[in-house]
Amino acid sequence: EPEVTQTPSHQVTQMGQEVILRCVPISNHLYFYWYRQILGQKVEFLVSFYNNEISEKSEIFDDQFSVERPDGSNFTLKIRSTKLEDSAMYFCASRADRDHYGYTFGSGTRLTVV
Amino acid sequence: QKEVEQNSGPLSVPEGAIASLNCTYSDRVSQSFFWYRQYSGKSPELIMSIYSNGDKEDGRFTAQLNKASQYVSLLIRDSQPSDSATYLCAVNNNQGGKLIFGQGTELSVKP
């Protein structure tokens, strides 16, 4: 079964450093998302991406965050200057088309900011 | 604030019983409804989607939707210990596909 692949599975970074979280969505999917889940809390929407541009973003997705689909297969989330409160699981997700809203989530990247 | 509410549990049922999980949502224009299962430390896994009022069955799982009451439920028949997980209700209300998740209900199935 096709999978959404995320790397790394765990990243530890120092506060103030930049991190890039990587995702390879399912190949024929058109819509891409990033979510995060702080330990013990809800899964929260960050951003959606379609046709090479952001289609929606949440209040969490401020100027410190950016997304990119540099080569038609990878989908990245960059955090420019990490804060302690950015520590969370980050999930990438993708879906095929407008009529199928059920996402496939990747296995996640656990980001720990120290 | 558009919210999705679930009882956090834990909900404990004996093996073989029916587990009933409930979810309410606040945005009346919500269009699509999902149940995800999440094991500890893992990513959410889609188990059911439902788009119209009524029941939808898939194996041991039945999703029920009542848009008038803004209520979604998930029934798990013949519960197994492997069903022990947190069940997340998620709602979509726009074409962009953004999902709003509830807090999740922790289910424990005792052998």
Side-chain angles (χ1 to χ4, degrees):
Chain A
E1 183 160 336
E3 289 185 342
V4 175
T5 305
Q6 288 187 245
T7 55
S9 57
H10 190 187
Q11 176 141 8
V12 181
T13 189
Q14 290 201 324
M15 191 168 53
Q17 295 297 303
E18 175 183 286
V19 294
I20 297 176
L21 309 183
R22 303 182 190 279
C23 170
V24 178
I26 295 172
S27 61
N28 63 341
H29 283 192
L30 301 176
Y31 298 80
F32 312 110
Y33 305 86
W34 284 101
Y35 285 76
R36 79 172 186 189
Q37 187 176 30
I38 295 170
L39 188 63
Q41 297 188 23
K42 293 182 183 185
V43 176
E44 300 175 289
F45 170 78
L46 293 179
V47 66
S48 58
F49 192 87
Y50 171 70
N51 200 24
N52 284 321
E53 62 183 19
I54 291 173
S55 48
E56 189 174 0
K57 59 184 180 179
S58 71
E59 293 174 355
I60 303 166
F61 195 90
D62 62 20
D63 291 346
Q64 293 301 310
F65 291 86
S66 62
V67 289
E68 200 174 39
R69 188 158 160 79
D71 56 13
S73 61
N74 292 284
F75 180 50
T76 61
L77 175 69
K78 181 192 290 186
I79 309 174
R80 287 188 184 79
S81 178
T82 49
K83 307 182 186 70
L84 295 176
E85 55 265 36
D86 293 327
S87 295
M89 281 288 284
Y90 287 81
F91 296 111
C92 175
S94 68
R95 67 182 175 100
D97 58 45
R98 300 173 62 87
D99 297 325
H100 293 86
Y101 292 99
Y103 295 173
T104 302
F105 280 90
S107 56
T109 293
R110 179 170 297 285
L111 177 65
T112 303
V113 182
V114 297
Chain B
Q1 178 73 15
K2 297 167 184 147
E3 295 284 347
V4 177
E5 300 288 341
Q6 297 180 253
N7 289 328
S8 59
L11 172 67
S12 183
V13 300
E15 183 174 356
I18 296 175
S20 177
L21 304 160
N22 304 313
C23 171
T24 58
Y25 59 94
S26 62
D27 190 352
R28 286 195 169 274
V29 303
S30 298
Q31 301 167 352
S32 311
F33 307 86
F34 305 90
W35 284 99
Y36 283 84
R37 178 173 60 199
Q38 187 176 33
Y39 293 111
S40 181
K42 303 296 185 182
S43 61
E45 174 192 4
L46 179 66
I47 53 174
M48 289 288 287
S49 60
I50 187 165
Y51 303 101
S52 53
N53 281 328
D55 295 0
K56 179 182 177 182
E57 187 174 316
D58 183 0
R60 295 187 296 114
F61 299 98
T62 299
Q64 299 173 317
L65 173 61
N66 183 328
K67 289 187 178 181
S69 301
Q70 295 175 240
Y71 177 87
V72 194
S73 66
L74 179 70
L75 299 178
I76 306 174
R77 289 180 298 281
D78 189 24
S79 295
Q80 301 297 309
S82 58
D83 294 327
S84 298
T86 297
Y87 288 80
L88 309 177
C89 175
V91 173
N92 161 258
N93 58 12
N94 65 22
Q95 291 291 334
K98 165 186 162 184
L99 293 182
I100 301 169
F101 282 84
Q103 180 77 16
T105 298
E106 183 184 350
L107 173 66
S108 176
V109 181
K110 303 294 187 185

